[in-house]
PDB file of all heavy atoms in Angstrom:
ATOM      1  N   PRO A 106      86.433  -5.410 -66.767  1.00 92.00           N
ATOM      2  CA  PRO A 106      85.629  -5.850 -65.627  1.00 92.00           C
ATOM      3  C   PRO A 106      84.215  -5.296 -65.741  1.00 92.00           C
ATOM      4  O   PRO A 106      84.014  -4.175 -66.203  1.00 92.00           O
ATOM      5  CB  PRO A 106      86.373  -5.265 -64.431  1.00 92.00           C
ATOM      6  CG  PRO A 106      87.152  -4.122 -64.986  1.00 92.00           C
ATOM      7  CD  PRO A 106      87.508  -4.508 -66.383  1.00 92.00           C
ATOM      8  N   SER A 107      83.261  -6.097 -65.342  1.00 89.00           N
ATOM      9  CA  SER A 107      81.867  -5.697 -65.516  1.00 89.00           C
ATOM     10  C   SER A 107      81.197  -5.267 -64.226  1.00 89.00           C
ATOM     11  O   SER A 107      80.061  -4.783 -64.247  1.00 89.00           O
ATOM     12  CB  SER A 107      81.061  -6.854 -66.130  1.00 89.00           C
ATOM     13  OG  SER A 107      81.131  -7.991 -65.283  1.00 89.00           O
ATOM     14  N   HIS A 108      81.898  -5.421 -63.119  1.00 91.00           N
ATOM     15  CA  HIS A 108      81.295  -5.078 -61.835  1.00 91.00           C
ATOM     16  C   HIS A 108      82.370  -4.626 -60.867  1.00 91.00           C
ATOM     17  O   HIS A 108      83.525  -5.057 -60.957  1.00 91.00           O
ATOM     18  CB  HIS A 108      80.547  -6.294 -61.274  1.00 91.00           C
ATOM     19  CG  HIS A 108      79.669  -5.962 -60.120  1.00 91.00           C
ATOM     20  ND1 HIS A 108      80.110  -6.035 -58.810  1.00 91.00           N
ATOM     21  CD2 HIS A 108      78.379  -5.564 -60.057  1.00 91.00           C
ATOM     22  CE1 HIS A 108      79.117  -5.679 -58.012  1.00 91.00           C
ATOM     23  NE2 HIS A 108      78.072  -5.400 -58.731  1.00 91.00           N
ATOM     24  N   SER A 109      81.972  -3.796 -59.930  1.00 93.00           N
ATOM     25  CA  SER A 109      82.937  -3.279 -58.963  1.00 93.00           C
ATOM     26  C   SER A 109      83.568  -4.387 -58.132  1.00 93.00           C
ATOM     27  O   SER A 109      84.679  -4.230 -57.630  1.00 93.00           O
ATOM     28  CB  SER A 109      82.266  -2.265 -58.038  1.00 93.00           C
ATOM     29  OG  SER A 109      81.202  -2.859 -57.316  1.00 93.00           O
ATOM     30  N   SER A 110      82.892  -5.523 -58.007  1.00 94.00           N
ATOM     31  CA  SER A 110      83.435  -6.632 -57.218  1.00 94.00           C
ATOM     32  C   SER A 110      84.669  -7.250 -57.863  1.00 94.00           C
ATOM     33  O   SER A 110      85.397  -8.004 -57.218  1.00 94.00           O
ATOM     34  CB  SER A 110      82.369  -7.701 -57.029  1.00 94.00           C
ATOM     35  OG  SER A 110      81.960  -8.238 -58.284  1.00 94.00           O
ATOM     36  N   GLU A 111      84.917  -6.921 -59.133  1.00 96.00           N
ATOM     37  CA  GLU A 111      86.083  -7.461 -59.830  1.00 96.00           C
ATOM     38  C   GLU A 111      87.333  -6.615 -59.603  1.00 96.00           C
ATOM     39  O   GLU A 111      88.378  -6.915 -60.171  1.00 96.00           O
ATOM     40  CB  GLU A 111      85.774  -7.566 -61.319  1.00 96.00           C
ATOM     41  CG  GLU A 111      84.649  -8.548 -61.636  1.00 96.00           C
ATOM     42  CD  GLU A 111      84.420  -8.686 -63.123  1.00 96.00           C
ATOM     43  OE1 GLU A 111      85.322  -9.163 -63.826  1.00 96.00           O
ATOM     44  OE2 GLU A 111      83.320  -8.303 -63.583  1.00 96.00           O
ATOM     45  N   TYR A 112      87.192  -5.577 -58.806  1.00 97.00           N
ATOM     46  CA  TYR A 112      88.337  -4.725 -58.490  1.00 97.00           C
ATOM     47  C   TYR A 112      88.826  -5.067 -57.072  1.00 97.00           C
ATOM     48  O   TYR A 112      88.154  -4.739 -56.101  1.00 97.00           O
ATOM     49  CB  TYR A 112      87.953  -3.259 -58.552  1.00 97.00           C
ATOM     50  CG  TYR A 112      87.655  -2.746 -59.940  1.00 97.00           C
ATOM     51  CD1 TYR A 112      86.396  -2.910 -60.506  1.00 97.00           C
ATOM     52  CD2 TYR A 112      88.633  -2.097 -60.683  1.00 97.00           C
ATOM     53  CE1 TYR A 112      86.121  -2.443 -61.779  1.00 97.00           C
ATOM     54  CE2 TYR A 112      88.367  -1.617 -61.956  1.00 97.00           C
ATOM     55  CZ  TYR A 112      87.106  -1.800 -62.499  1.00 97.00           C
ATOM     56  OH  TYR A 112      86.838  -1.328 -63.754  1.00 97.00           O
ATOM     57  N   PRO A 113      89.983  -5.675 -56.942  1.00 97.00           N
ATOM     58  CA  PRO A 113      90.471  -6.018 -55.604  1.00 97.00           C
ATOM     59  C   PRO A 113      91.172  -4.873 -54.874  1.00 97.00           C
ATOM     60  O   PRO A 113      91.359  -4.932 -53.664  1.00 97.00           O
ATOM     61  CB  PRO A 113      91.468  -7.150 -55.885  1.00 97.00           C
ATOM     62  CG  PRO A 113      91.947  -6.894 -57.275  1.00 97.00           C
ATOM     63  CD  PRO A 113      90.794  -6.289 -58.008  1.00 97.00           C
ATOM     64  N   TYR A 114      91.540  -3.848 -55.616  1.00 97.00           N
ATOM     65  CA  TYR A 114      92.321  -2.767 -55.018  1.00 97.00           C
ATOM     66  C   TYR A 114      91.535  -1.462 -55.062  1.00 97.00           C
ATOM     67  O   TYR A 114      91.048  -1.052 -56.128  1.00 97.00           O
ATOM     68  CB  TYR A 114      93.649  -2.588 -55.763  1.00 97.00           C
ATOM     69  CG  TYR A 114      94.419  -3.866 -55.922  1.00 97.00           C
ATOM     70  CD1 TYR A 114      94.651  -4.413 -57.168  1.00 97.00           C
ATOM     71  CD2 TYR A 114      94.906  -4.542 -54.796  1.00 97.00           C
ATOM     72  CE1 TYR A 114      95.347  -5.594 -57.317  1.00 97.00           C
ATOM     73  CE2 TYR A 114      95.603  -5.727 -54.936  1.00 97.00           C
ATOM     74  CZ  TYR A 114      95.822  -6.250 -56.193  1.00 97.00           C
ATOM     75  OH  TYR A 114      96.500  -7.417 -56.323  1.00 97.00           O
ATOM     76  N   TRP A 115      91.455  -0.812 -53.903  1.00 98.00           N
ATOM     77  CA  TRP A 115      90.684   0.422 -53.750  1.00 98.00           C
ATOM     78  C   TRP A 115      91.443   1.431 -52.928  1.00 98.00           C
ATOM     79  O   TRP A 115      92.178   1.064 -52.003  1.00 98.00           O
ATOM     80  CB  TRP A 115      89.350   0.137 -53.056  1.00 98.00           C
ATOM     81  CG  TRP A 115      88.419  -0.676 -53.880  1.00 98.00           C
ATOM     82  CD1 TRP A 115      88.415  -2.036 -54.026  1.00 98.00           C
ATOM     83  CD2 TRP A 115      87.349  -0.189 -54.691  1.00 98.00           C
ATOM     84  NE1 TRP A 115      87.409  -2.412 -54.881  1.00 98.00           N
ATOM     85  CE2 TRP A 115      86.734  -1.297 -55.298  1.00 98.00           C
ATOM     86  CE3 TRP A 115      86.849   1.083 -54.970  1.00 98.00           C
ATOM     87  CZ2 TRP A 115      85.648  -1.172 -56.172  1.00 98.00           C
ATOM     88  CZ3 TRP A 115      85.767   1.208 -55.824  1.00 98.00           C
ATOM     89  CH2 TRP A 115      85.173   0.086 -56.414  1.00 98.00           C
ATOM     90  N   GLY A 116      91.240   2.702 -53.268  1.00 98.00           N
ATOM     91  CA  GLY A 116      91.767   3.768 -52.442  1.00 98.00           C
ATOM     92  C   GLY A 116      90.787   4.123 -51.338  1.00 98.00           C
ATOM     93  O   GLY A 116      89.713   3.516 -51.219  1.00 98.00           O
ATOM     94  N   GLN A 117      91.164   5.117 -50.547  1.00 97.00           N
ATOM     95  CA  GLN A 117      90.341   5.539 -49.412  1.00 97.00           C
ATOM     96  C   GLN A 117      89.286   6.571 -49.800  1.00 97.00           C
ATOM     97  O   GLN A 117      88.373   6.843 -49.021  1.00 97.00           O
ATOM     98  CB  GLN A 117      91.231   6.116 -48.311  1.00 97.00           C
ATOM     99  CG  GLN A 117      92.156   5.080 -47.693  1.00 97.00           C
ATOM    100  CD  GLN A 117      91.381   3.947 -47.058  1.00 97.00           C
ATOM    101  OE1 GLN A 117      90.491   4.156 -46.242  1.00 97.00           O
ATOM    102  NE2 GLN A 117      91.699   2.711 -47.443  1.00 97.00           N
ATOM    103  N   GLY A 118      89.434   7.146 -50.973  1.00 97.00           N
ATOM    104  CA  GLY A 118      88.431   8.093 -51.458  1.00 97.00           C
ATOM    105  C   GLY A 118      88.801   9.541 -51.196  1.00 97.00           C
ATOM    106  O   GLY A 118      89.564   9.857 -50.282  1.00 97.00           O
ATOM    107  N   THR A 119      88.248  10.409 -52.034  1.00 98.00           N
ATOM    108  CA  THR A 119      88.419  11.850 -51.865  1.00 98.00           C
ATOM    109  C   THR A 119      87.067  12.519 -52.090  1.00 98.00           C
ATOM    110  O   THR A 119      86.339  12.178 -53.029  1.00 98.00           O
ATOM    111  CB  THR A 119      89.493  12.405 -52.821  1.00 98.00           C
ATOM    112  OG1 THR A 119      89.709  13.794 -52.559  1.00 98.00           O
ATOM    113  CG2 THR A 119      89.109  12.240 -54.279  1.00 98.00           C
ATOM    114  N   GLN A 120      86.738  13.462 -51.219  1.00 98.00           N
ATOM    115  CA  GLN A 120      85.428  14.093 -51.251  1.00 98.00           C
ATOM    116  C   GLN A 120      85.389  15.196 -52.303  1.00 98.00           C
ATOM    117  O   GLN A 120      86.271  16.069 -52.339  1.00 98.00           O
ATOM    118  CB  GLN A 120      85.086  14.684 -49.884  1.00 98.00           C
ATOM    119  CG  GLN A 120      83.776  15.459 -49.833  1.00 98.00           C
ATOM    120  CD  GLN A 120      82.559  14.563 -49.940  1.00 98.00           C
ATOM    121  OE1 GLN A 120      82.464  13.539 -49.265  1.00 98.00           O
ATOM    122  NE2 GLN A 120      81.596  14.951 -50.789  1.00 98.00           N
ATOM    123  N   VAL A 121      84.365  15.164 -53.114  1.00 98.00           N
ATOM    124  CA  VAL A 121      84.092  16.235 -54.068  1.00 98.00           C
ATOM    125  C   VAL A 121      82.722  16.801 -53.730  1.00 98.00           C
ATOM    126  O   VAL A 121      81.737  16.065 -53.690  1.00 98.00           O
ATOM    127  CB  VAL A 121      84.116  15.728 -55.518  1.00 98.00           C
ATOM    128  CG1 VAL A 121      83.635  16.819 -56.481  1.00 98.00           C
ATOM    129  CG2 VAL A 121      85.518  15.260 -55.894  1.00 98.00           C
ATOM    130  N   THR A 122      82.674  18.093 -53.482  1.00 98.00           N
ATOM    131  CA  THR A 122      81.414  18.767 -53.169  1.00 98.00           C
ATOM    132  C   THR A 122      81.205  19.899 -54.156  1.00 98.00           C
ATOM    133  O   THR A 122      82.068  20.770 -54.303  1.00 98.00           O
ATOM    134  CB  THR A 122      81.413  19.311 -51.736  1.00 98.00           C
ATOM    135  OG1 THR A 122      81.660  18.241 -50.822  1.00 98.00           O
ATOM    136  CG2 THR A 122      80.082  19.963 -51.406  1.00 98.00           C
ATOM    137  N   VAL A 123      80.070  19.858 -54.828  1.00 98.00           N
ATOM    138  CA  VAL A 123      79.726  20.889 -55.807  1.00 98.00           C
ATOM    139  C   VAL A 123      78.514  21.644 -55.277  1.00 98.00           C
ATOM    140  O   VAL A 123      77.413  21.095 -55.189  1.00 98.00           O
ATOM    141  CB  VAL A 123      79.418  20.288 -57.182  1.00 98.00           C
ATOM    142  CG1 VAL A 123      79.176  21.408 -58.207  1.00 98.00           C
ATOM    143  CG2 VAL A 123      80.547  19.371 -57.624  1.00 98.00           C
ATOM    144  N   SER A 124      78.733  22.890 -54.902  1.00 97.00           N
ATOM    145  CA  SER A 124      77.671  23.656 -54.282  1.00 97.00           C
ATOM    146  C   SER A 124      77.912  25.146 -54.488  1.00 97.00           C
ATOM    147  O   SER A 124      79.052  25.610 -54.484  1.00 97.00           O
ATOM    148  CB  SER A 124      77.601  23.345 -52.783  1.00 97.00           C
ATOM    149  OG  SER A 124      76.635  24.174 -52.160  1.00 97.00           O
ATOM    150  N   SER A 125      76.824  25.877 -54.652  1.00 94.00           N
ATOM    151  CA  SER A 125      76.939  27.322 -54.773  1.00 94.00           C
ATOM    152  C   SER A 125      76.764  27.983 -53.410  1.00 94.00           C
ATOM    153  O   SER A 125      76.858  29.199 -53.291  1.00 94.00           O
ATOM    154  CB  SER A 125      75.898  27.854 -55.762  1.00 94.00           C
ATOM    155  OG  SER A 125      74.595  27.451 -55.375  1.00 94.00           O
TER     156      SER A 125
END
Side-chain angles (χ1 to χ4, degrees):
S107 59
H108 192 268
S109 60
S110 62
E111 296 183 64
Y112 291 84
Y114 309 115
W115 292 82
Q117 294 300 307
T119 184
Q120 176 71 47
V121 172
T122 303
V123 185
S124 175
S125 55

